[in-house]
Amino acid sequence: MTDAEAEPSDDAEKGKIYNHWQQSWMTDDPAEAQRAAEEQGLTVEWDYNPRDGRIMKTRYYKSAFEYVPSLDRNIMVTSIADDGEWFDSWPGIMDVPHEDRPLEMFFGDDEPFTLEEKQLWTDAYDRFGVPLPWKEGDVAVIDNMRFAHGRPGVELLPGEERELGVMLGKFYELQEDREDKWAEELWTSPV
């Protein structure tokens, strides 16, 4: 996360900012921001560069899978939205090198995913996705713990507007994955 005190005055450069650590942690004190992040289970590393000021780099370690009691099996809960690839169509950020983007997925040993591995991940989503045949006025309600979701790009014509809404339900008590709850039949077909 970039430093609000180093925010550029040039509008093109402002577009390359995803979030300031002061905004995320609601404080101007780096020690307080770090303490709040660590209380949420993140590891914190500070860096500095002349363009962005103090950079707060955080990492969160979690399995890509989660046991869901209502399904009685582990499901994949990580998506490409947890990586810098997600910003490929964001004006400004799409021009930032991948290694400098706000999000990046790593394996458990801190080895970053290669572009090929990220593509494989995306292809798995695409292959097993179920398209929704949208019509004007349609509403979709999706349980994030049962279904990964995404969408193709949306192109709005001049004068068109799009309104998105998000509703949050009860919080799930995370279970992590369970060794005895892998659905073997899902692994019999190659991706």
Side-chain angles (χ1 to χ4, degrees), residues 16 122 149 182:
K16 295 180 180 179
T122 301
H149 61 280
W182 295 105

Side-chain angles (χ1 to χ4, degrees), residues 127-139:
R127 179 172 176 206
F128 296 104
V130 177
L132 297 175
W134 290 93
K135 295 184 298 298
E136 187 174 331
D138 282 353
V139 174

Side-chain angles (χ1 to χ4, degrees), residues 111-173:
E111 185 69 28
F113 278 51
T114 65
L115 286 176
E116 293 78 19
E117 289 162 337
K118 292 175 190 179
Q119 187 60 55
L120 181 64
W121 198 266
T122 301
D123 292 346
Y125 268 79
D126 291 346
R127 179 172 176 206
F128 296 104
V130 177
L132 297 175
W134 290 93
K135 295 184 298 298
E136 187 174 331
D138 282 353
V139 174
V141 177
I142 301 169
D143 181 344
N144 283 351
M145 289 305 292
R146 294 187 76 170
F147 303 99
H149 61 280
R151 60 162 178 77
V154 174
E155 300 292 328
L156 297 176
L157 298 174
E160 286 186 321
E161 292 182 4
R162 186 177 112 170
E163 191 172 326
L164 296 177
V166 174
M167 185 170 75
L168 301 176
K170 67 175 186 160
F171 286 98
Y172 285 93
E173 189 67 37

Side-chain angles (χ1 to χ4, degrees), residues 13-191:
E13 287 298 307
K14 280 184 181 178
K16 295 180 180 179
I17 294 172
Y18 175 63
N19 200 6
H20 299 303
W21 59 264
Q22 292 94 331
Q23 179 183 353
S24 287
W25 302 106
M26 297 184 287
T27 181
D28 291 327
D29 180 357
E32 192 175 320
Q34 181 166 341
R35 192 169 33 259
E38 289 171 346
E39 286 172 3
Q40 299 274 332
L42 291 102
T43 61
V44 177
E45 175 187 331
W46 292 92
D47 199 0
Y48 176 84
N49 74 44
R51 189 190 83 170
D52 298 321
R54 290 171 295 193
I55 306 295
M56 182 183 196
K57 295 181 178 181
T58 60
R59 288 199 179 178
Y60 180 66
Y61 294 88
K62 173 140 183 25
S63 171
F65 297 87
E66 177 73 23
Y67 173 71
V68 178
S70 61
L71 300 174
D72 196 32
R73 71 173 189 219
N74 297 321
I75 63 168
M76 185 171 68
V77 294
T78 300
S79 76
I80 204 67
D82 297 318
D83 189 78
E85 303 294 310
W86 190 54
F87 297 102
D88 281 352
S89 61
W90 282 44
I93 296 181
M94 64 194 274
D95 301 321
V96 173
H98 285 270
E99 63 274 7
D100 293 335
R101 290 186 182 182
L103 302 172
E104 186 172 7
M105 286 176 25
F106 289 85
F107 289 102
D109 63 359
D110 285 336
E111 185 69 28
F113 278 51
T114 65
L115 286 176
E116 293 78 19
E117 289 162 337
K118 292 175 190 179
Q119 187 60 55
L120 181 64
W121 198 266
T122 301
D123 292 346
Y125 268 79
D126 291 346
R127 179 172 176 206
F128 296 104
V130 177
L132 297 175
W134 290 93
K135 295 184 298 298
E136 187 174 331
D138 282 353
V139 174
V141 177
I142 301 169
D143 181 344
N144 283 351
M145 289 305 292
R146 294 187 76 170
F147 303 99
H149 61 280
R151 60 162 178 77
V154 174
E155 300 292 328
L156 297 176
L157 298 174
E160 286 186 321
E161 292 182 4
R162 186 177 112 170
E163 191 172 326
L164 296 177
V166 174
M167 185 170 75
L168 301 176
K170 67 175 186 160
F171 286 98
Y172 285 93
E173 189 67 37
L174 297 178
Q175 309 281 319
E176 296 289 330
D177 57 59
R178 286 184 35 186
E179 282 302 315
D180 63 332
K181 295 301 178 179
W182 295 105
E184 295 297 327
E185 67 276 8
L186 296 177
W187 302 109
T188 58
S189 146
V191 174

